[in-house]
Amino acid sequence: MIQLQQTQALDPDYLESLGFTWHTDDDETPYVSDQLVVLTEAEAEAYYEAGNILYDMYIEAGEHIVENDLFHEIGIPFNLVEQIKETWENDVHWHLYGRFDLAGGIGGKPIKLLEFNADTPTALFETSIVQWAILKQNGLEEESQFNSLYESLVDNFKRLVTLEENVDTFEDLYDGWKFLFTSIKDNAEEENTVKLLQHIAEEAGFVTEFAYIDEIEFSQEEGVVYKGEEYELWFKLIPWEDIALEEPDLAMLLGNIIQNQKAIIFNPAYTLMFQSKGILKILWDLYPNHPLLLESSFEPLENQKQVAKPIFGREGGSVRILNADGSTEAEAVGDYDNHKMVYQAYTELPVDQAGASYQAGLFYVYESCALGFRKGGLILDNMSKFVGHIVK
């Protein structure tokens, strides 16, 4: 059973003063929980170690995919394969940040990987700013948290220039490269998340600008252009697979821009390999029965409870929980039914006294650096709540 600590809920006006405007769900209930998940220091350390181990395994799996040309097997659109190869082989294409979704880790339950949101992970604002504010506003020790996400991002932005762990040489190496940050219009959550990242990049020392995606020009000769200026660095909170499937001309242009070294794009194209849930099957092939993994296959698993989920999908859409006899225990309607499915052995999430499930979100920014939780039903969807934590 998960242990929770009651807090005073943050006032919506205060949250909006922070730039956090998506604080209320469609049913008019608060999106941010007024409780904190209580962790021991040993549990926080175990999450930290698990993320570092898992990332190394993902690197090995990525190399295996590239070497053996397994892009089609894990559902990578054909028009992104060359971009993935190009960014994988060149160290300047730095992975800025990602988020592991994990089961277990609380009350003696083993940590298990569910998936890795490596390209366009959400909950960055909640994890780095909001759960810190919960502690501050409730008079709790602000250091009583596994959460250095903001500081880790500052350092990792500097590593885009230094390309090494030591960031002290950033000012000596930085040559005034301009950094453009982009989201789509009419989505406050995505826009403010991108602007938070822009603010962090400025703190790291970059010259930055913000633009909506439809305001930018792309050219294989000039690269990424906004208001007549060329930008060497471009961050987009737009999934690579959406670009490939919905904007194939743009996907081709971006490939040429990368190849011609006209801009570096974040997160890099190779993160789509990590984002694909098809890599879960590759991981199981490479590390069978690893304690952090759940058995995964492109075919239904025999005689066991499992989860069927599309290799590309979000917020639980098109996910089904299947019983050992193949019957459906739970399912979520979604727009991803046409994607290839991966079948992953079922594992229970930690639950509270009311029966709500909790899934850990572990941010990885050069190393494991921050933790937050989502709370919901058997399948976590877009009505799940964000829950902060405290380490005691």
Side-chain angles (χ1 to χ4, degrees), residues 11 42 47 95 107 124 149 155 171 191 222 226 284 312 345 358:
D11 181 81
Y47 279 120
H95 190 188
L124 182 134
L149 179 52
D155 282 348
E171 291 183 1
E191 180 175 335
E222 297 178 326
Y226 173 59
W284 188 257
F312 294 115
Y358 290 73

Side-chain angles (χ1 to χ4, degrees), residues 18-262:
L18 299 175
F20 190 76
T21 58
W22 56 102
H23 48 67
T24 304
D25 283 329
D26 292 341
D27 61 358
E28 299 301 318
T29 60
Y31 163 51
V32 178
S33 173
D34 60 359
Q35 295 178 311
L36 296 173
V37 173
V38 178
L39 298 176
T40 66
E41 289 187 7
E43 288 169 337
E45 180 66 25
Y47 279 120
Y48 170 79
E49 292 178 358
N52 294 335
I53 292 168
L54 285 168
Y55 196 83
D56 286 345
M57 293 163 65
Y58 265 80
I59 294 295
E60 290 298 319
E63 188 65 29
H64 181 76
I65 291 166
V66 172
E67 286 183 354
N68 294 280
D69 197 25
L70 301 178
F71 301 104
H72 178 71
E73 183 172 351
I74 65 168
I76 300 295
F78 73 93
N79 57 348
L80 285 182
V81 169
E82 291 307 313
Q83 292 90 315
I84 288 173
K85 290 179 178 178
E86 184 80 22
T87 56
W88 184 256
E89 297 299 334
N90 190 333
D91 287 345
V92 303
H93 299 283
W94 199 262
H95 190 188
L96 185 58
Y97 75 115
R99 191 195 77 235
F100 289 106
D101 286 344
L102 305 169
I106 299 173
K109 298 290 187 182
I111 295 171
K112 296 290 185 181
L113 171 69
L114 299 176
E115 57 196 60
F116 187 25
N117 301 276
D119 177 17
T120 54
T122 55
L124 182 134
F125 205 117
E126 296 91 310
T127 303
S128 63
I129 304 295
V130 173
Q131 67 170 341
W132 166 81
I134 294 172
L135 295 187
K136 183 178 174 66
Q137 292 296 98
N138 280 272
L140 300 168
E141 283 290 334
E142 295 166 27
E143 291 77 24
S144 300
Q145 218 175 55
F146 172 27
N147 187 8
S148 60
L149 179 52
Y150 190 100
E151 298 81 1
S152 296
L153 281 166
V154 170
D155 282 348
N156 221 26
F157 270 114
K158 292 180 179 180
R159 290 190 189 98
L160 308 185
V161 172
T162 67
L163 297 179
E164 59 183 11
E165 183 172 3
N166 180 16
V167 298
D168 294 340
T169 58
F170 171 81
E171 291 183 1
D172 296 330
L173 297 174
Y174 177 58
D175 196 25
W177 300 317
K178 297 183 291 296
F179 210 138
L180 184 63
F181 287 79
T182 298
S183 77
I184 60 173
K185 280 185 177 177
D186 302 321
N187 187 316
E189 178 178 355
E190 293 193 7
E191 180 175 335
N192 285 8
T193 297
V194 169
K195 287 182 175 177
L196 172 61
L197 284 163
Q198 179 189 4
H199 174 77
I200 295 172
E202 288 178 350
E203 186 167 328
F206 286 94
V207 175
T208 77
E209 183 60 84
F210 174 87
Y212 296 112
I213 183 66
D214 56 0
E215 297 174 331
I216 302 172
E217 297 176 17
F218 299 94
S219 160
Q220 64 182 23
E221 292 84 18
E222 297 178 326
V224 179
V225 181
Y226 173 59
K227 291 185 176 179
E229 279 203 69
E230 298 175 18
Y231 285 82
E232 295 90 346
L233 306 167
W234 181 47
F235 177 88
K236 47 131 202 94
L237 201 67
I238 301 160
W240 275 107
E241 73 268 22
D242 287 358
I243 293 173
L245 299 174
E246 299 171 16
E247 301 287 346
D249 290 343
L250 176 58
M252 182 180 69
L253 263 178
L254 294 179
N256 291 332
I257 288 170
I258 292 168
Q259 189 171 32
N260 296 337
Q261 299 181 354
K262 290 298 182 181

